[in-house]
Amino acid sequence: MTMLALTCIAQTALLTVAAWTLPMLARPTLPFGVRVPAGRTADPAITAQRRRYARAVLFLGALAALLSAFAVVLTGDPDVLAVAGVLLGVADAMLYAAAHRAVRAAKRRGNWYGGTRQAVTADTTWRTDPVRPPWALLLVSLIVLAATAAIGLGRYSSLPSTLATLRGLGIDVHNRVPTSPMTAFAPVLSQTALTILVPLLLAAIVRARPETDAEQPASSARRYRVYLRGIATILLAGVACVDLTLLLLALQQWGLLTPSPLVAAATWAPTLAIAAAFLLFGVRAGEAGHRLPSLRGESDSGYVQRDDDRHWHLAGTVYANRHDPAVLVHQRAGSRWTLNLGNPVAWAILAVVAVLALLSLLGVVELPSTG
């Protein structure tokens, strides 16, 4: 019970820190997902929304930590974790959306783009000299995956009729499920999916259109390259770290490692370490690398990045521009990418994902049972 309560508090703290730091890590010209000229980044309307948002997020985080910990102690139900996380995430998203609307309204009232020279820029060397991820790091993930699968195959015939389940941050030996290939090899299946999907996603990301700024085209292109190499390294190292966490969870589920608070801490240490590395890199580099140093001697071009707010929806999280050939674009909030819903290829990708998800729910895509 104490472990579940601590898990609730830890989850709430992580979500709150992520929401609180989101505006600080964003590019100055994209406060709350709204495109503004560089000369307006310190406008009082933006400053006021930053303060209001930060106070509200911290208050909600403290309230959610108290209520969720109390609820999980009172009910003993681990589902409280999921419910509390979803509710807090939705509340933080609503606060962000409110700040987005306020900044966009101030921009419209003040005609912030009046008298500016708008432009876009492109890095023509991106196709001939793309960023090359450190694919060698993937070998670590493959070794961990192979080790987990080998141990599981060797252990499967001697497994009991039921298996302990994952609960909170560890294994709950009292909550058990029937042993089957699906339940016994769930950690291996998760490792396999992660080891395949993340490199595929990374291969698409490094070919996506780079984020460059018309005000400093050369410097922004260089910063984005450094940023993308850092993201690629963290993603590939992250696969190995999460695979290692799944291996330790599998060893506990298979009865080869005795669950305990110390074992739980060791199990999640790799995943927490890579999460901390991602956060530190985000603080140092900034969104799309805007905090990295500029090239010496490059002066402002006299242009500002084109105002493209009309193509971004839902507080700058959804992009739809049928005149843009790009399929994948960098999102305005956070170190992530999104599909251009104005491109038919993006809808084809979503259709494939939806079909696979539907087949999975219907039980069509599953391993055959030997029971």
Side-chain angles (χ1 to χ4, degrees), residues 64-111:
L66 290 173
L67 293 178
S68 61
F70 177 76
V72 79
V73 169
L74 186 65
T75 64
D77 188 353
D79 290 340
V80 171
L81 287 170
V83 174
V86 170
L87 291 178
L88 181 59
V90 170
D92 287 338
M94 292 175 65
L95 291 174
Y96 188 91
H100 170 88
R101 290 192 298 269
V103 173
R104 194 163 182 173
K107 167 186 169 180
R108 184 171 55 252
R109 288 194 305 268
N111 190 25

Side-chain angles (χ1 to χ4, degrees), residues 38-213:
R40 292 284 186 171
T41 56
D43 191 271
I46 298 175
T47 303
Q49 289 305 316
R50 289 185 188 277
R51 292 174 180 170
R52 186 177 294 112
Y53 172 83
R55 288 195 296 264
V57 164
L58 293 176
F59 173 77
L60 276 179
L63 183 63
L66 290 173
L67 293 178
S68 61
F70 177 76
V72 79
V73 169
L74 186 65
T75 64
D77 188 353
D79 290 340
V80 171
L81 287 170
V83 174
V86 170
L87 291 178
L88 181 59
V90 170
D92 287 338
M94 292 175 65
L95 291 174
Y96 188 91
H100 170 88
R101 290 192 298 269
V103 173
R104 194 163 182 173
K107 167 186 169 180
R108 184 171 55 252
R109 288 194 305 268
N111 190 25
W112 289 358
Y113 268 89
T116 62
R117 301 170 66 195
Q118 301 182 42
V120 294
T121 183
D123 183 357
T124 57
T125 66
W126 198 251
R127 296 296 179 184
T128 57
D129 184 25
V131 170
R132 292 173 174 80
W135 295 115
L137 287 175
L138 197 58
L139 291 175
V140 181
S141 303
L142 294 174
I143 291 172
V144 175
L145 170 59
T148 310
I151 295 171
L153 289 172
R155 179 65 173 164
Y156 184 73
S157 61
S158 59
L159 288 176
S161 59
T162 60
L163 291 173
T165 57
L166 177 64
R167 190 180 190 188
L169 294 179
I171 295 294
D172 183 2
V173 296
H174 303 294
N175 186 16
R176 307 183 71 86
V177 294
T179 300
S180 69
M182 183 64 71
T183 57
F185 289 96
V188 179
L189 295 175
S190 298
Q191 287 176 328
T192 302
L194 194 66
T195 307
I196 293 175
L197 294 179
V198 171
L200 288 176
L201 176 62
L202 181 57
I205 286 174
V206 296
R207 287 170 174 78
R209 184 182 62 212
E211 284 289 302
T212 52
D213 187 356

Side-chain angles (χ1 to χ4, degrees), residues 266-287:
T267 298
W268 290 97
T271 298
L272 293 176
I274 201 65
F278 184 80
L279 179 60
L280 290 174
F281 176 77
V283 171
R284 174 181 172 271
E287 184 184 298

Side-chain angles (χ1 to χ4, degrees), residues 29 35-37 107 110-116 118 304-307:
T29 54
R35 178 80 68 185
V36 302
K107 167 186 169 180
N111 190 25
W112 289 358
Y113 268 89
T116 62
Q118 301 182 42
V304 297
Q305 189 68 17
R306 183 180 60 189
D307 182 10

Side-chain angles (χ1 to χ4, degrees), residues 216-223 226 292-300:
Q216 287 189 324
S219 290
S220 61
R222 176 189 173 277
R223 288 194 297 263
V226 175
L292 297 172
S294 301
L295 293 172
R296 292 183 179 180
E298 184 182 16
S299 57
D300 291 347

